[in-house]
Amino acid sequence: AQKITQTQPGMFVQEKEAVTLDCTYDTSDQSYGLFWYKQPSSGEMIFLIYQGSYDEQNATEGRYSLNFQKARKSANLVISASQLGDSAMYFCAMREGLGMRFGAGTRLTVKP
Amino acid sequence: ETGVTQTPRHLVMGMTNKKSLKCEQHLGHNAMYWYKQSAKKPLELMFVYSLEERVENNSVPSRFSPECPNSSHLFLHLHTLQPEDSALYLCASSQEFNFATDTQYFGPGTRLTVL
């Protein structure tokens, strides 16, 4: 079974600064993908970024980038130039069986 | 409409009521999912459909009954629920159901309260 660990229950960041949200994982699969989702208080689970285990470059998507270190089994999300609208829960996830296994999440609060 | 839509967004029901949750995906995907998210618990996969056929049922009580009439629509029929069934119910879709690298896209969820 996959295991996802997010060790930061809550994080604060000043508006316009960058923040890194940590994620480590454990899997015996050779080919796998790592996903990050954002969940605002409204409840919607919004897909942010994906990293494949065989991708040679770190994924980037606008202000989001993924610091993928395969040997360390870590896939940290970096959000640059934080905005007030970035305040939300952030989940790291992997496909497991037919569904997704999510980490416990990190609640990010952006301060004005 | 784009992405994955869910109705209603909020639902309050008594234990003896019968209601249905609706999900529609506009992404041309072949697989659809129901998840339950309870307070302070990780998401739980409930049902998986691939091309309208159920491929997984994660030991969900029979008071939850899914229906997938076509690859774009998914329903969750609810009857005689318990207060502990109060949760956020999320629908998702993906291109296929069995690829480790396939992204699941979620709807906005239905927040269900059972009185």
Side-chain angles (χ1 to χ4, degrees):
Chain A
Q2 325 288 37
K3 186 177 179 182
I4 304 277
T5 303
Q6 294 180 254
T7 57
Q8 306 153 312
M11 289 280 286
F12 290 89
V13 65
Q14 206 68 36
E15 193 178 8
K16 299 181 185 177
E17 292 186 350
V19 63
T20 298
L21 307 183
D22 295 341
C23 172
T24 58
Y25 62 91
D26 194 16
T27 179
S28 56
D29 295 341
Q30 295 301 308
S31 177
Y32 53 88
L34 289 144
F35 305 83
W36 276 91
Y37 288 87
K38 170 186 177 181
Q39 188 176 40
S41 57
S42 59
E44 183 175 4
M45 195 70 78
I46 302 168
F47 167 68
L48 296 177
I49 195 167
Y50 163 80
Q51 178 80 47
S53 58
Y54 287 109
D55 293 343
E56 293 186 353
Q57 294 192 330
N58 287 340
T60 61
E61 195 69 50
R63 293 186 299 110
Y64 304 108
S65 61
L66 217 151
N67 183 1
F68 181 51
Q69 297 186 48
K70 191 172 180 178
R72 292 187 174 184
K73 294 189 174 179
S74 75
N76 299 337
L77 177 70
V78 180
I79 305 174
S80 63
S82 296
Q83 301 172 356
L84 296 177
D86 293 336
S87 293
M89 284 290 290
Y90 288 82
F91 293 94
C92 181
M94 297 179 71
R95 290 295 296 265
E96 179 178 69
L98 301 178
M100 299 282 282
R101 178 171 287 273
F102 287 77
T106 296
R107 182 171 297 282
L108 177 67
T109 303
V110 181
K111 294 181 173 180
Chain B
E1 293 278 17
T2 59
V4 181
T5 58
Q6 289 185 244
T7 54
R9 293 294 308 276
H10 299 271
L11 179 62
V12 179
M13 58 187 289
M15 289 191 286
T16 58
N17 291 157
K18 289 185 180 181
K19 296 286 184 184
S20 296
L21 310 185
K22 179 183 176 183
C23 174
E24 184 174 359
Q25 60 98 359
H26 309 267
L27 300 168
H29 288 165
N30 294 322
M32 296 187 76
Y33 311 79
W34 279 116
Y35 285 88
K36 175 184 178 183
Q37 187 179 29
S38 305
K40 299 182 180 180
K41 290 177 70 175
L43 267 75
E44 302 170 53
L45 178 65
M46 300 176 72
F47 300 103
V48 181
Y49 275 83
S50 174
L51 296 170
E52 303 127 56
E53 284 193 26
R54 189 190 305 180
V55 296
E56 181 147 314
N57 170 4
N58 271 350
S59 302
V60 179
S62 58
R63 57 185 183 270
F64 295 92
S65 175
E67 179 190 1
C68 188
N70 54 63
S71 59
S72 298
H73 293 86
L74 185 64
F75 295 88
L76 188 63
H77 304 298
L78 316 171
H79 63 98
T80 59
L81 293 192
Q82 305 298 311
E84 59 265 29
D85 297 322
S86 298
L88 180 68
Y89 289 83
L90 289 161
C91 174
S93 73
S94 66
Q95 187 61 52
E96 304 295 341
F97 72 93
N98 57 355
F99 289 159
T101 57
D102 208 11
T103 302
Q104 292 189 6
Y105 294 89
F106 287 79
T110 295
R111 199 167 293 278
L112 173 67
T113 302
V114 181
L115 301 177

